[in-house]
Each structure stands twice: as structure tokens, then as C-alpha cells.
Amino acid sequence: MVALVIAEHDNASLKGSTLNTVTAAAQCGGEVHVLVAGHNAGAAAAAAAQIAGVSKVLVADAAHLADGLAENLAEQVLAVAGAYSHILAPATAYGKNILPRVAAKLDVAQISEITKVDSPDTFERPIYAGNAIATVQSGDKVKVITVRSTGFDAAAASGGSAATETVAAVADAGKSAFVGREVAKSDRPELTAAKIIVSGGRGIGSAENFKLLEPLADKLGAAMGASRAAVDAGFVPNDWQVGQTGKIVAPALYIAVGISGAIQHLAGMKDSKTIVAINKDPEAPIFAVADYGIVGDLFEVVPQLVAELG
Amino acid sequence: MKVLVPVKRVVDYNVKVRVKSDGSGVDIANVKMSMNPFDEIAMEEAMRLKEGGKATEVVAVSCGVSQCQETLRTAMAIGADRGILVETTAELEPLAVAKLLKAVADKEQPNLIILGKQAIDDDANQVGQMLAALLGWPQATFASKVVLDEGKVTVTREVDGGLETLALSLPAIVTTDLRLNEPRYVTLPNIMKAKKKPLDTTKPEELGVDVSPRLKTLKVAEPPKRSAGIKVPDVATLVNKLRTEAKVI
């Protein structure tokens, strides 16, 4: 049994979720190989070879692999798929886009967003916005899996010494083209990798008021997140959204400010180690999952909290 | 141009589902069912393309039990011209649905298929991508903006770091994200009109598709419960607890 991990990268460096996926792959019980498909992605491939537990890195390099187009990436995975019992990718926008194409072409089911490997053919995954955990067994010859990164520890980024092998790049499918990218700029930690997250909801009231949370996030070295209500109201960009339809996070500390705690939001953060809720409504559902709650006006509580943290 | 919109009947998003005590699944007997919210967004987008003169016919399709007819009637009340039900009592996995939809697409020959990005029951996020693979069409998943032109569609996608834009040649697959549009409310006159629109029924066997499941669900369990928390009287107590008790700061 050999597992193949599809590395998520920007050609220059690996995304953190790749490391969590390597851990899940190792738990499937065999060797772990990593595929780095991109353009001028030597740095990403070198980083992949350093990951502890990886025994081989496959590198496919071509201009039409640069931007992660699903049509080309899926074909590249299929070109090397024959040797593998498990094919895994992170359950990020990147992995979710590519892997079902691979599964369909292999005529196998895909197992989405696993949170646990019970055995090489049995996996646990949340359904109904995390309100139930299903244990599923795959009878397919190849297990095609996306991995929820918060369910697995990150593999060590150094200490490995995998061999690197170049594989032939597939031809450009030519049916889609990359037009452009708008990257949201942020100096803060990445939301899905942060140890502490300060998150705001509708209760914040305006985009201007979100600035109130910045000193708190700065003090804690935290990433900033938001509920869907805050995103839909235009307070903050879409990619801040935590929840069933946004990002799934599990930091050590999650501070929910002015967030009521709808099912869809809880789906994205209820595996956090410690949850703090600041809300003026004592009946808000967020208090049912919060370890520590303060009932009060966030406009008073948040500055006090900043002051208290010194 | 013809647009095909697959819609799924799911437990209403406001329902808090309960896991059956025998661990065989979640209890969906007698709970409110609705159209999957992402599929409403897909229907809305198809209607906007039609109203903007880009699409000429919108066909809704659903796979599952006979009650999925209600979901198709809703789609027709939103504005779909007709409906197709692939009727089966079998448990359908995403791969099976993708195969059924491919068979329907082979017959209907749409130029564009718009699906929701995921269903809120199985949370799989697979069918659109699988259908694209089976048809050999390009895909744009998690769309927040769709611009249809002659022979191509330009789609802005929600990705982890922000947004990216792709241009796809037609025919193509688009899956919708939440911010693509605000679905309209269906009006009573449109519900009445929808009852008269054609709804064809077919079966997996007639389409020549084997829908037998590939995954076996061994059990379904409640997620681990969080232990009850406490409310603290003031900020000083909170910071103290975070430092000494939770040790997270």
C-alpha cells in the first residue's frame, strides 16, 4: 500500500494543509508519496521532500499546471494514479475542486473531509453541518479522500529526505483558462492555521466597528474571522468566514464577539479547544458551546479585555 | 441556449437533526424538507441568465424518491420551464447522481449546467466536479460571479486566499457559492403556474445507470459533546481563567 498526497502549493511554498494531509496519509498504513504539480515549483518540491514521513516526491512541471486548473491537475493525478491504493488531498478550495474529478474518472466514490482514519478502508467524517459523525467503509480499489486539516496534526516540515522524481506533464486540456486573482492582503496569521482567532458577527454593527477587534487580535497574535452575517453585511471579506460554508477552524482559543452561534457557524469552530463568547444576549446559542462567556456590551467588554491583557 | 439545473431535496437548513439511537443514521422521518439552499442559488442564477436573454430554456432535474417532485415544482415556481425526475428509492451517493445527471445531459444537450457547490445533508461537495469529469467538460466551482458570452463563460470563484477568475469554453459546469446571488421568493401565482408545467419521470434503469453504493455506512454517531461552560462576571476573571485554567494565553 502506497498513498499519494496531492500537495497544495503556490509554486514557491507548500500550504500548511499539505502537512496535515501527510499525517492522514501515513495513518492509512503504507508509504507516503507527494505529487507537486505546478510550474517552476522547485522550491515547493524541495519543501515536500523535507516533510517527515514522505518517501518520494513526484514533480510535474509545465506552464499550464501553474494555476491549479482542475481539468489539468486531475489529468496529472490520473497519469500517476495507477501505483496507489490511496489518493489524498487537503479539503481546501484547492483539493475539493480537483479530487472529485479524479474519483469520477477512476469510477470510485470520494470520501470528503475525513476527520479520522479508523483503518485503511474505514474513515470518519462529519455530516449535517457537523451534527453527526458518519463512519464509512470503502469497497473501492482506490480510496480517494479529502482531509479536514483540523482533524489531523501537521507532519513535521523538516527531518525527511525523500527522493525526487520528475514525471511527464500531461497535455493542456485547453478547455479552461486562468484569467486573474485577487488576493486578500493580511499581515495576520492564516485563519485555518492560527492558534488564536478573534471572530466578529452581526453584533459588531459595521465595517468601521470591526477595527475595535484589531487591538485585541494584535495583543494575542490572533487571526481574525467572521460569521456569515458579518460577511453578508459587507463588514469584512468573504474569506474571513468561519462555518459550514466557509472555513473550518480548530484553534486553541476562539473568541466569538457579537456572534449568536447559528448551527452553520458552530459547524466551523466547535472543535476549538477553548471558546470564549462575548454577547449581550444571555440566551444566545453561542453560550451553549462556550467554555467562558461574558454577557455584556462588546463595545465595553472588548476594550476592557485589551487593557486587561496589558 | 439551454441551462440544466440539478436540485436536491434535503432536510431544511433550520432543522436540528437528531442521530438515531441505533446509530443507523439521522432521523429524517417527519422533518421539514426543502430545496438545498445552494441549489436555490443555482436556480436563481439560471433565471437571471434567462431574463437577461442569455438562456432560452431552463430545465430542473432531481434524483431520488417521488417526493422530489415537490422540489422540482419549487424549481418551476422559481421559473424553470420543465422538470425531470429520476425516480428511485435507492440511497444515492454523489458518484451515482453524477452518472444519472450525465445520462440526462446526454439526452438534453444543455450548454451550461449550474449546480449548488454542496448539499447541506451529506456535505460532500462532489457532484458538480464528478459530472464535469464524466462529461469531459471544464468546471468552475464555488462561483460568486458568472458572465455568459458567446461560446464561453467567465466565472469568479471564491478560493481560500480571496477570489480567482477563470474562462471556460462551453459546454461547461458551474457550481454556486453563497454570495453568487440572493434567491427570489416564489409567489403564489407562480406556484399555481408551476403545477401546469411538464414534469417527466424516468428511472436509473431506463438511463442505464448502476446506482449501487460504493461506501458502507457502518454507523452514525453524535459528535462529542462539549462540557458545559461557565459565565464569568467580568473581564478580569475571564483573563485570569484563560491564563491559569485553560492556559491558552
Side-chain angles (χ1 to χ4, degrees):
Chain A
M1 278 195 314
V2 187
L4 179 69
V5 170
I6 317 305
E8 179 176 2
H9 62 89
D10 60 5
N11 296 308
S13 62
L14 291 178
K15 300 281 181 192
S17 52
T18 306
L19 299 173
N20 308 80
T21 308
V22 166
T23 300
Q27 289 177 8
C28 293
E31 261 186 75
V32 179
H33 294 182
V34 174
L35 172 68
V36 178
H39 188 45
N40 296 329
Q50 298 288 312
I51 303 172
V54 173
S55 59
K56 194 198 277 187
V57 176
L58 306 178
V59 182
D61 199 293
H64 58 269
L65 296 174
D67 297 303
L69 293 174
E71 297 76 19
N72 292 336
L73 265 289
E75 284 304 318
Q76 189 66 55
V77 176
L78 290 163
V80 299
Y84 297 99
S85 60
H86 295 72
I87 299 174
L88 306 91
T92 55
Y94 181 88
K96 289 176 184 177
N97 189 37
I98 296 166
L99 223 55
R101 269 191 100 99
V102 173
K105 287 279 180 72
L106 292 172
D107 193 29
V108 303
Q110 184 195 268
I111 308 148
S112 296
E113 302 228 12
I114 64 161
T115 50
K116 192 158 180 272
V117 177
D118 285 349
S119 76
D121 67 357
T122 306
F123 310 92
E124 294 183 17
R125 60 177 302 265
I127 54 175
Y128 288 91
N131 286 303
I133 308 294
T135 305
V136 296
Q137 186 174 40
S138 166
D140 285 321
K141 58 189 187 305
V142 188
K143 281 49 165 172
V144 176
I145 298 164
T146 61
V147 175
R148 182 173 283 191
S149 58
T150 57
F152 298 87
D153 294 331
S158 61
S161 57
T164 300
E165 185 182 300
T166 304
V167 297
V170 294
D172 186 354
K175 290 181 173 169
S176 59
F178 181 79
V179 177
R181 183 174 286 136
E182 275 176 62
V183 180
K185 281 216 170 64
S186 174
D187 299 328
R188 300 184 186 284
E190 200 193 335
L191 195 52
T192 51
K195 295 228 168 10
I196 301 180
I197 294 172
V198 175
S199 210
R202 196 196 302 273
I204 303 285
S206 71
E208 194 58 31
N209 289 352
F210 246 84
K211 293 198 169 60
L212 180 76
L213 299 184
E214 286 176 4
L216 179 58
D218 287 339
K219 272 258 151 63
L220 295 165
M224 288 179 68
S227 69
R228 185 184 163 194
V231 172
D232 283 352
F235 300 170
V236 295
N238 299 347
D239 57 326
W240 286 31
Q241 185 184 322
V242 172
Q244 183 185 19
T245 56
K247 295 204 171 70
I248 312 290
V249 299
L253 175 60
Y254 188 90
I255 304 181
V257 184
I259 292 176
S260 64
I263 299 174
Q264 289 80 3
H265 185 73
L266 300 183
M269 46 64 82
K270 67 181 179 181
D271 293 326
S272 305
K273 184 166 169 279
T274 300
I275 298 172
V276 170
I278 300 170
N279 204 301
K280 67 180 176 197
D281 175 11
E283 304 300 323
I286 191 76
F287 286 116
V289 300
D291 299 276
Y292 305 109
I294 289 192
V295 180
D297 183 350
L298 66 95
F299 297 100
E300 290 166 19
V301 174
V302 171
Q304 281 174 23
L305 188 52
V306 175
E308 190 70 30
L309 289 166
Chain B
M1 160 177 315
K2 189 193 279 189
V3 180
L4 193 67
V5 181
V7 292
K8 185 176 185 182
R9 175 179 180 263
V10 299
V11 172
D12 188 86
Y13 74 97
N14 280 314
V15 173
K16 173 108 168 66
V17 295
R18 290 227 304 268
V19 171
K20 287 189 201 165
S21 54
D22 65 358
S24 63
V26 297
D27 193 359
I28 57 166
N30 306 316
V31 304
K32 186 184 176 202
M33 306 292 280
S34 298
M35 185 188 294
N36 181 42
F38 290 102
D39 303 348
E40 286 185 34
I41 295 171
M43 261 312 303
E44 175 67 34
E45 195 65 17
M47 289 320 298
R48 291 185 188 190
L49 291 173
K50 192 175 176 197
E51 287 155 1
K54 304 273 189 182
T56 48
E57 188 185 25
V58 176
V59 182
V61 50
S62 193
C63 306
V65 293
S66 59
Q67 290 91 326
C68 295
Q69 284 186 18
E70 295 158 20
T71 314
L72 286 169
R73 292 290 172 202
T74 305
M76 289 187 272
I78 295 170
D81 296 290
R82 57 193 173 88
I84 301 170
L85 171 63
V86 183
E87 192 175 349
T88 172
T89 53
E91 287 278 331
L92 294 176
E93 290 176 356
L95 182 62
V97 175
K99 288 179 178 178
L100 293 172
L101 293 177
K102 178 187 186 291
V104 171
D106 285 343
K107 280 190 180 169
E108 293 286 335
Q109 298 283 315
N111 306 80
L112 185 66
I113 305 180
I114 310 178
L115 308 88
K117 79 164 176 181
Q118 77 189 57
I120 58 165
D121 50 2
D122 63 14
D123 281 334
N125 194 331
Q126 298 175 11
V127 172
Q129 297 91 315
M130 287 182 153
L131 179 59
L134 296 176
L135 288 166
W137 294 3
Q139 70 185 46
T141 50
F142 325 140
S144 61
K145 189 178 173 203
V146 175
V147 181
L148 195 55
D149 292 312
E150 198 59 45
K152 74 163 187 178
V153 59
T154 306
V155 182
T156 303
R157 307 176 56 225
E158 295 197 12
V159 294
D160 290 332
L163 300 170
E164 72 174 35
T165 304
L166 303 180
L168 312 180
S169 58
L170 294 177
I173 302 275
V174 170
T175 77
T176 62
D177 217 321
L178 276 174
R179 272 163 288 273
L180 179 58
N181 60 45
E182 188 86 29
R184 68 194 64 186
Y185 287 102
V186 295
T187 60
L188 188 59
N190 284 342
I191 293 172
M192 301 311 289
K193 270 186 230 160
K195 290 184 177 165
K196 297 201 179 73
K197 290 182 178 176
L199 197 167
D200 294 324
T201 299
T202 180
K203 291 196 174 339
E205 305 81 64
E206 289 169 28
L207 295 170
V209 175
D210 173 13
V211 296
S212 47
R214 305 301 187 79
L215 299 176
K216 197 158 116 191
T217 300
L218 302 181
K219 76 171 181 203
V220 175
E222 293 265 359
K225 284 257 186 307
R226 293 187 73 91
S227 50
I230 54 164
K231 284 187 180 137
V232 295
D234 53 48
V235 169
T237 316
L238 173 67
V239 170
N240 185 39
K241 295 248 182 222
L242 290 176
R243 283 204 172 116
T244 58
E245 206 172 84
K247 296 189 174 69
V248 286
I249 56 172

